[in-house]
């Protein structure tokens, strides 16, 4: 680490396609020479961004290699989805701005089948995320990225407890487990146990960063806590239910750190880690909460690039205000976490 460099940990939230906002934030943070990323806890889409970043960073790729890897991944994901996914925008959706999937037959059928038949859990069940991730991410390079610690949570369906996968063991199955929406994908079976999305136990899980990371934790928030109005369809009810559930652990962990000075271990709640950390938050809530719930499944490249640009812009504003305060004090604005319904210009 060079003189004047500030070491940080990153907590990356999930949120489906909203992970492209996280891509934009990461792109800007990686371009900042005064920052060094030492550890990442990423959940769901955040786990994907974490693995891609490590893939690019490994073996001398550094920050520029990580930026290039993220660019390749999100373009590749969009191209792959265009070939294999039945969830596509209709001409009506495009005419309405190209974000919502409200009139997409593929999206509606996906939600309908989710309400009728749960995806099976067995070692033979193929979660389609696994081959996609394996084709777009070099996990051998991820495991070799010794410069950055990775912590990837998933939820054990049988016990209801969290499991944290570490960088040295990561493969496509573990990232798919962390991103496994119960009503969309078949559970991922690892070591004889079936797993669902890690967001149930932490979005992101902060306890590994409190325990093993630098004292400054920068959380990238792209899963809205509050939304205007009520869901009007069963599809939106399912999506909003998951969104609320995935934020419960996050809100409680932040409150525990800020007000109690401690945090239960993600895998063993009987253990509590002292949380002598400084919290920082880069939030896209102000804009993301205005987008239709179905847009989390929108992998069209123009939409992903729009989210990326929002992430870059939000991170740029945040750095201008807070970079000099990293290492000295917490800068977290609690409004996007605890009082998100009051958001009026708190996006940075």
């Amino acid at each position: 680490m060079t003189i004047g460099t500030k070491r940080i940990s990153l907590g990356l939230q999930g949120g489906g396609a909203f992970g492209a906002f996280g891509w934009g934030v990461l792109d800007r943070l990686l371009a900042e020479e005064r920052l060094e990323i030492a550890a990442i806890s990423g959940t769901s889409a955040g786990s994907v961004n974490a693995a891609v970043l490590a893939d690019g960073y490994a073996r001398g790729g550094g920050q520029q290699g990580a930026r290039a890897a993220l660019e390749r991944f999100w373009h590749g994901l969009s191209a792959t989805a265009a070939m294999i996914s039945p969830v596509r925008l209709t001409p009506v959706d495009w005419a309405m701005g190209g974000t919502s999937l409200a009139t997409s037959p593929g999206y509606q059928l996906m939600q309908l089948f989710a309400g009728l038949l749960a995806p099976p859990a067995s070692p033979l069940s193929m979660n389609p995320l696994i081959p996609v991730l394996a084709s777009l991410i070099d996990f051998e390079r991820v495991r070799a990225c010794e410069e950055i610690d990775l912590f990837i949570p998933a939820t054990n369906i049988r016990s209801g407890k969290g499991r944290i996968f570490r960088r040295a063991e990561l493969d496509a199955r573990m990232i798919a487990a962390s991103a496994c929406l119960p009503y969309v994908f078949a559970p991922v079976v690892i070591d004889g146990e079936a797993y669902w999305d890690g967001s149930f136990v932490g979005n992101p899980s902060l306890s590994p960063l409190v325990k093993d990371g630098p004292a400054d934790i920068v959380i990238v928030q792209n899963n809205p806590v509050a939304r205007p109005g009520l869901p009007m369809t069963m599809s939106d009810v399912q999506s909003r239910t998951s969104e609320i559930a995935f934020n419960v652990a996050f809100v409680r962990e932040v409150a525990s750190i800020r007000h109690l000075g401690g945090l239960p271990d993600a895998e063993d709640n009987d253990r509590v880690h002292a949380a002598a950390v400084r919290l920082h938050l880069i939030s896209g809530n102000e804009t993301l909460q205005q987008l239709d719930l179905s847009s989390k499944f929108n992998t069209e490249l123009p939409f992903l690039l729009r989210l990326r640009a929002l992430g870059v812009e939000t991170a740029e504003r945040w750095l201008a205000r807070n970079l000099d305060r990293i290492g000295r004090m917490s800068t977290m604005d609690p409004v996007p976490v605890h009082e998100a319904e009051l958001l009026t210009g708190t996006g940075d």
Side-chain angles (χ1 to χ4, degrees):
M1 183 174 70
T2 59
I3 296 176
T5 301
K6 299 173 182 286
R7 298 180 75 244
I8 60 173
S9 296
L10 293 177
L12 307 180
Q13 281 196 339
F18 287 6
F21 169 84
W23 163 31
V25 172
L26 291 175
D27 188 66
R28 179 59 188 89
L29 295 182
L30 287 164
E32 182 53 62
E33 295 181 354
R34 290 174 290 175
L35 289 179
E36 177 186 342
I37 300 169
I40 306 174
S41 176
T43 302
S44 198
S47 73
V48 175
N49 277 335
V52 174
L53 188 154
D55 175 3
Y57 202 102
R59 296 175 177 164
Q63 292 172 246
Q64 295 307 312
R67 296 178 69 192
L70 285 162
E71 180 91 15
R72 286 194 303 270
F73 173 83
W74 283 96
H75 280 76
L77 178 66
S78 180
T80 301
M83 291 187 291
I84 67 174
S85 175
V87 180
R88 305 298 301 276
L89 272 70
T90 67
V92 174
D93 293 327
W94 282 111
M96 295 174 62
T99 61
S100 171
L101 290 159
T103 68
S104 167
Y107 175 72
Q108 298 300 332
L109 283 173
M110 179 184 70
Q111 300 295 332
L112 174 62
F113 286 128
L116 298 175
L117 184 65
S122 80
L124 299 178
S125 300
M126 175 52 74
N127 182 308
L129 282 176
I130 297 174
V132 171
L133 292 170
S135 69
L136 295 175
I137 303 173
D138 185 338
F139 281 93
E140 195 278 328
R141 286 179 57 88
V142 173
R143 293 188 291 271
C145 184
E146 298 181 352
E147 298 91 338
I148 302 175
D149 290 325
L150 299 184
F151 305 99
I152 307 299
T155 306
N156 185 305
I157 300 173
R158 178 187 57 81
S159 69
K161 294 182 178 180
R163 176 173 174 181
I164 304 294
F165 298 107
R166 271 71 176 180
R167 186 202 71 244
E169 62 182 330
L170 283 180
D171 60 23
R173 296 172 307 147
M174 296 170 183
I175 301 299
S178 184
C180 182
L181 285 172
Y183 58 90
V184 177
F185 300 117
V188 179
V189 178
I190 300 172
D191 299 332
E193 295 283 0
Y195 291 92
W196 275 339
D197 201 296
S199 300
F200 288 111
V201 294
N203 191 24
S205 182
L206 299 180
S207 68
L209 302 180
V210 168
K211 178 184 176 184
D212 297 318
D216 287 271
I217 301 175
V218 179
I219 301 165
V220 180
Q221 183 185 31
N222 48 238
N223 196 53
V225 176
R227 282 185 176 274
L230 298 175
M232 301 302 293
T233 68
M234 284 307 301
S235 299
D236 287 348
V237 168
Q238 284 183 318
S239 295
R240 182 57 180 152
T241 299
S242 295
E243 198 170 60
I244 292 171
F246 291 168
N247 275 308
V248 169
F250 169 59
V251 172
R252 288 179 176 172
E253 281 195 326
V254 170
S256 181
I257 292 173
R258 294 182 65 239
H259 301 298
L260 301 179
L263 194 62
D265 188 271
E267 296 177 299
D268 182 0
N269 289 334
D270 287 335
R271 289 192 297 162
V272 176
H273 304 294
V277 297
R278 294 176 289 271
L279 293 180
H280 313 275
L281 181 69
I282 302 177
S283 175
N285 266 11
E286 183 182 3
T287 299
L288 297 176
Q289 68 180 3
Q290 305 297 327
L291 295 175
D292 190 87
L293 283 156
S294 67
S295 63
K296 286 188 174 184
F297 295 89
N298 183 353
T299 54
E300 297 286 352
L301 187 59
F303 179 61
L304 298 179
L305 292 177
R306 171 180 166 183
L307 292 176
R308 176 196 176 276
L310 174 64
V312 171
E313 176 187 347
T314 304
E316 181 70 43
R317 293 199 309 268
W318 185 87
L319 285 169
R321 294 179 56 183
N322 298 301
L323 179 58
D324 291 339
R325 295 192 279 180
I326 294 176
R328 298 190 294 112
M329 60 186 292
S330 292
T331 65
M332 171 175 277
D333 181 351
V335 170
V337 179
H338 302 290
E339 303 175 74
E341 67 275 10
L342 302 180
L343 279 179
T344 52
T346 56
D348 58 350

